[in-house]
Amino acid sequence: MDQSKIDALRALPVPAFHHLIDGKHVPASDGGTLDIISPIDGQVLTTTAAGTAADMEAAITSARAAFEDGCWSSQAPAARKKVLMKWADLIEANALELAVLGVRDNGTEIGMALKAEPGSAAATIRYYAEALDKIYGEIAPTAGDVLGLIHKEPVGVVGAIIPWNFPMMIGAWKLGPALAMGNSVVLKPSETASLSLMRMADLALEAGLPPGVLNAVTGEGRVVGETLGLSMDVDVLVFTGSGGTGRRLMDYAARSNMKRVYLELGGKSPNIVFADAPNLDEAAKVAAAGIFRNSGQVCVAGSRLLIEAPIHDDFVAAVAKAAEAMRVGDPLRIDTHIGAVNSEVQLTANLGFVDTATAEGGQIVTGGHRILQETGGYYMAPTIVTGVTRDATLAQKEVFGPVLGVTPFATDDEAISLANSTVYGLAGAAWTANLSRAHRMIKSVRTGVMHINTYGGADGTVPVGGVGQSGNGSDKSLHAIEKYVNLKTAWIKL
Ligand code: TXE
């Protein structure tokens, strides 16, 4: 990474952003705009269109028309592949520009953003482009006088509602398989991180995606997101975000056309450290990175640290040392480890969780407060709270900030019981040199992803998805494709 190139890009003014509907950039139908505040300094960076219900309806109409027209849905797979491969190339070619724009919008440290945003988005789009002409239908094992064929058809119009923590990465997790299978998509980025994703959508058209196959509408979730959710013309909704919004989406589906709804809703993931872990120093550093990178705004963040009692104090000290060594600050400096919290609302919520944790008996080991206030930006010191009991708010509710709650345990059974004591089930980890114990943890901890002797970093070959109130369905890997196809049976009398 070259600091001077980053500095040059951050000095560029950011133009006002419009919707992308039917291949054209259009303002909101009533001319409304939303101020986009950069979390780096709290200043207005630019504006986006504040979409109206009519804007969203126009986008859905365009997506439906493109789907029925067959310009994409009926294209030969090899032709779709070519466009998606080109799109991945364009994302890569513009990676630094996209990453810097995204960081100015959402505050993620540039080192992580470059890899996790354009880097991961390009890899994801390429993965599904490469896969799409290797996915076959089936011939059923029927009696000889009939032929049973199972076709995989695109579902039609997909509505994709995206959060602010990794807009390009999570956007690509939905767009890659949806477009690869021939669907049209209406994208709704988050109010507080839409710019890089909107730019990425433009690149899809530049790569040759026909107008209308991908539309993107910015604005308030409760306006344009609700219209998307309630539409009679959207066949599948895919979402990453909060549980509250996830519930609403299910309600919208029930009140409209019973569209399929796939939710990824975050978690309260347990990171379980046994005294026999192969390398406790390494475990402490990875545990710190696993909660504090991107200011803890990671759905799979290891936000609950469960430590075997005999090593509790030493391990907490090692994690605190690692946390204090992480440089928090300007996310566009390449030597920054932790950037800005996405918004003032999120920062205030994080600090509220710390107050509640101490009121409920927790002790702050390090952090616990806002820092760098003089910059005008939203920065928080990595925070560790010990003495967090099983039912404490910090053990039960997702903070989505740089706040780690610590709880000791005495036995394997207690570790499993604590790990499974929330409504969530997205990710987790166990650190141990004992193979049998590791497998027992994999089987017994209720999660979608279980790490052993590491935390995070699973690539696109494996699914990520939650159980319990962490959601349903998976992103990533070939399994994600199931969300974007209908199975159609052809039963033929011979
Ligand atoms: O999420 P929302 P917010 C969690 C995390 C965080 C909390 C709140 O705990 O603190 O959610 O974040 C759109 N109809 N996660 O408020 O509201 C919205 O415009 C349709 C976990 O940002 O769920 C945005 O595009 N759409 C997480 C998207 O939903 C609506 C990632 C997510 O916003 C809508 C983000 C509505 N009525 C937050 N209301 C993860 N799992 O990684 C909002 N939206």
Side-chain angles (χ1 to χ4, degrees), residues 302-341:
S303 54
R304 282 188 297 149
L305 186 57
L306 310 181
I307 310 176
E308 198 169 3
I311 59 164
H312 175 274
D313 293 355
D314 287 349
F315 197 77
V316 168
V319 180
K321 190 171 160 213
E324 285 159 7
M326 294 172 108
R327 271 185 302 276
V328 185
D330 182 350
L332 286 171
R333 298 284 321 165
I334 56 180
D335 55 359
T336 291
H337 297 120
I338 303 174
V341 172

Side-chain angles (χ1 to χ4, degrees), residues 189 276 370 478 489:
D276 70 355
R370 182 177 185 174
L478 294 181
T489 295

Side-chain angles (χ1 to χ4, degrees), residues 370-401:
R370 182 177 185 174
I371 53 173
L372 302 171
Q373 199 158 353
E374 66 283 3
T375 62
Y378 315 128
Y379 300 91
M380 182 166 171
T383 301
I384 300 175
V385 182
T386 52
V388 176
T389 55
R390 177 187 293 257
D391 299 323
T393 306
L394 195 55
Q396 294 296 323
K397 300 259 188 258
E398 181 178 53
V399 177
F400 221 58

Side-chain angles (χ1 to χ4, degrees), residues 161-165 188-191 219-222 225-226 239-242 245 248-249 252 264-266 299 346 398-400:
I161 303 179
I162 310 298
W164 41 262
N165 51 337
K188 153 63 185 96
S190 165
E191 301 80 320
E220 301 277 355
R222 63 191 161 73
E226 179 170 304
F239 170 75
T240 299
S242 65
T245 301
R248 260 176 233 122
L249 298 183
Y252 298 156
E264 203 271 78
L265 305 172
C299 52
Q346 197 66 31
E398 181 178 53
V399 177
F400 221 58

Side-chain angles (χ1 to χ4, degrees), residues 394-479:
L394 195 55
Q396 294 296 323
K397 300 259 188 258
E398 181 178 53
V399 177
F400 221 58
V403 184
L404 178 65
V406 184
T407 308
F409 67 86
T411 63
D412 291 28
D413 285 345
E414 192 188 4
I416 293 165
S417 153
L418 282 166
N420 291 338
S421 66
T422 75
V423 297
Y424 295 109
L426 188 58
W431 297 78
T432 174
N434 179 327
L435 188 62
S436 304
R437 173 181 270 161
H439 281 286
R440 183 170 179 221
M441 292 296 140
I442 293 170
K443 279 196 174 164
S444 308
V445 178
R446 265 195 326 265
T447 61
V449 180
M450 191 65 186
H451 306 88
I452 298 295
N453 296 334
T454 188
Y455 205 101
D459 70 16
T461 60
V462 287
V464 62
V467 298
Q469 291 186 31
S470 286
N472 63 326
S474 305
D475 286 320
K476 305 202 302 177
S477 85
L478 294 181
H479 292 286

Side-chain angles (χ1 to χ4, degrees), residues 69-118:
D69 165 81
C71 58
W72 182 252
S73 51
S74 304
Q75 279 267 17
R80 290 206 304 266
K81 174 182 188 164
K82 210 166 153 191
V83 171
L84 294 181
M85 292 297 261
K86 173 116 190 268
W87 187 22
D89 291 345
L90 285 173
I91 294 169
E92 239 164 37
N94 291 278
L96 192 63
E97 185 210 321
L98 287 163
V100 171
L101 180 65
V103 170
R104 293 172 80 186
D105 196 6
N106 86 338
T108 303
E109 54 276 8
I110 186 72
M112 177 175 246
L114 192 58
K115 207 166 141 221
E117 286 280 272

Side-chain angles (χ1 to χ4, degrees), residues 76-337:
R80 290 206 304 266
K81 174 182 188 164
K82 210 166 153 191
V83 171
L84 294 181
M85 292 297 261
K86 173 116 190 268
W87 187 22
D89 291 345
L90 285 173
I91 294 169
E92 239 164 37
N94 291 278
L96 192 63
E97 185 210 321
L98 287 163
V100 171
L101 180 65
V103 170
R104 293 172 80 186
D105 196 6
N106 86 338
T108 303
E109 54 276 8
I110 186 72
M112 177 175 246
L114 192 58
K115 207 166 141 221
E117 286 280 272
S120 148
T124 299
I125 302 296
R126 196 168 285 131
Y127 178 92
Y128 291 105
E130 286 169 344
L132 70 85
D133 57 358
K134 298 166 193 71
I135 294 165
Y136 292 77
E138 293 166 33
I139 299 175
T142 55
D145 59 343
V146 288
L147 181 61
L149 304 180
I150 304 168
H151 294 271
K152 290 181 179 164
E153 296 190 325
V155 291
V157 176
V158 173
I161 303 179
I162 310 298
W164 41 262
N165 51 337
F166 293 105
M168 295 181 70
M169 176 174 81
I170 296 173
W173 287 351
K174 324 282 190 201
L175 291 169
L179 292 171
M181 299 319 290
N183 298 284
S184 292
V185 179
V186 179
L187 189 63
K188 153 63 185 96
S190 165
E191 301 80 320
T192 60
S194 48
L195 307 184
S196 55
L197 191 52
M198 293 301 281
R199 180 84 188 98
M200 183 170 124
D202 290 345
L203 294 178
L205 270 74
E206 210 176 306
L209 196 72
V213 174
L214 172 57
N215 299 281
V217 176
T218 51
E220 301 277 355
R222 63 191 161 73
V223 181
V224 285
E226 179 170 304
T227 306
L228 187 63
L230 284 170
S231 171
M232 297 298 285
D233 224 6
V234 170
D235 302 289
V236 167
L237 265 186
V238 287
F239 170 75
T240 299
S242 65
T245 301
R247 269 178 215 282
R248 260 176 233 122
L249 298 183
M250 292 182 125
D251 177 51
Y252 298 156
R255 283 160 53 202
S256 55
N257 61 346
M258 296 193 275
K259 55 182 73 66
R260 275 155 43 191
V261 180
Y262 296 104
L263 307 171
E264 203 271 78
L265 305 172
K268 194 77 219 179
S269 300
N271 191 4
I272 309 166
V273 183
F274 291 93
D276 70 355
N279 182 341
L280 284 167
D281 280 342
E282 177 64 13
K285 283 184 194 139
V286 176
I291 174 65
F292 297 131
R293 295 300 305 276
N294 199 17
S295 300
Q297 302 164 146
V298 179
C299 52
V300 297
S303 54
R304 282 188 297 149
L305 186 57
L306 310 181
I307 310 176
E308 198 169 3
I311 59 164
H312 175 274
D313 293 355
D314 287 349
F315 197 77
V316 168
V319 180
K321 190 171 160 213
E324 285 159 7
M326 294 172 108
R327 271 185 302 276
V328 185
D330 182 350
L332 286 171
R333 298 284 321 165
I334 56 180
D335 55 359
T336 291
H337 297 120

